């Protein structure tokens, strides 16, 4: 009877499955977005709370996008790794705004002209090393995902699903940012 050695793959999700999951979550997220309160199941009393939660979530995503842009400006060699994540963060902001934003350019990296929202606030400081910059982005993604998960109980159904989906995508981003290339 031949003896076979166990597989050397590490336990846990593989990078490909996380990327596929994050891409799928982004597609589901955008497909499930709606900009009418009637589709979210809100009442007039909770409508303003939902609108405030949406606006806060959009602002948070825009601030996160500015962090990505600052890191890309400081570390352009991370473009291949960060540009897809930045593009998703921009889509998240658009989803929370009900699609009211202008679509990002085909190249989701640093834009030549600042957007009105980015002109109002200074660029975040970026660590000198690429690993440090990725670690800071991962921490920001995790913190934002945690805040969004805590907010789920306070928002109506459709917005809660959107928040949960974006929080899951953020957790996936954090994992991808901290994973070292093999």
């Amino acid at each position: 009877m031949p003896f076979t050695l166990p597989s050397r793959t590490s336990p846990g999700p593989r990078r490909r499955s996380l990327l596929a999951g994050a891409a799928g979550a982004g597609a589901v997220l955008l497909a499930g977005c709606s900009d009418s309160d009637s589709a979210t199941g809100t009442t007039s009393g909770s409508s303003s709370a939902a609108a405030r939660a949406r606006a806060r979530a959009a602002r948070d995503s825009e601030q996160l996008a500015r962090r990505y842009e600052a890191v890309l400006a400081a570390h352009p060699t991370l473009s291949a790794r960060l540009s897809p994540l930045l593009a998703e963060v921009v889509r998240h902001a658009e989803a929370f705004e009900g699609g009211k934003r202008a679509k990002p350019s085909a190249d989701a990296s640093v834009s030549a002209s600042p957007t009105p929202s980015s002109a109002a606030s200074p660029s975040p400081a970026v660590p000198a090393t690429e690993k440090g910059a990725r670690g800071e982005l991962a921490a920001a993604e995790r913190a934002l995902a945690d805040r969004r998960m805590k907010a789920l109980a306070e928002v109506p159904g459709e917005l809660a699903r959107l928040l949960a989906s974006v929080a899951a995508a953020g957790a996936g981003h954090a994992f991808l940012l901290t994973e070292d290339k093999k």
Side-chain angles (χ1 to χ4, degrees), residues 35-159:
D35 53 345
S36 69
D37 282 341
S38 62
T40 63
T42 61
T43 61
S44 61
S46 64
S47 177
S48 63
R52 284 192 305 273
R54 267 186 183 276
R56 182 175 48 250
R59 271 192 317 273
D60 289 344
S61 289
E62 289 170 354
Q63 288 172 348
L64 184 58
R66 283 193 295 277
R67 282 178 163 243
Y68 272 94
E69 290 168 347
V71 169
L72 282 168
H75 302 287
T77 56
L78 290 174
S79 180
R81 190 169 188 172
L82 298 185
S83 291
L85 302 179
L86 170 59
E88 273 198 22
V89 170
V90 168
R91 284 191 299 269
H92 296 163
E94 290 172 349
F96 287 120
E97 292 174 342
K100 295 175 188 166
R101 276 183 94 169
K103 297 289 182 203
S105 65
D107 178 28
S109 62
V110 182
S111 61
S113 61
T115 59
S117 61
S118 66
S121 62
S123 269
V126 177
T129 66
E130 289 182 358
K131 187 172 184 174
R134 286 187 298 116
E136 190 174 90
L137 280 174
E141 286 273 17
R142 266 189 236 100
L144 185 53
D146 289 346
R147 279 198 315 269
R148 287 176 171 162
M149 291 303 290
K150 289 176 184 171
L152 291 179
E154 302 166 8
V155 296
E158 194 65 31
L159 181 54

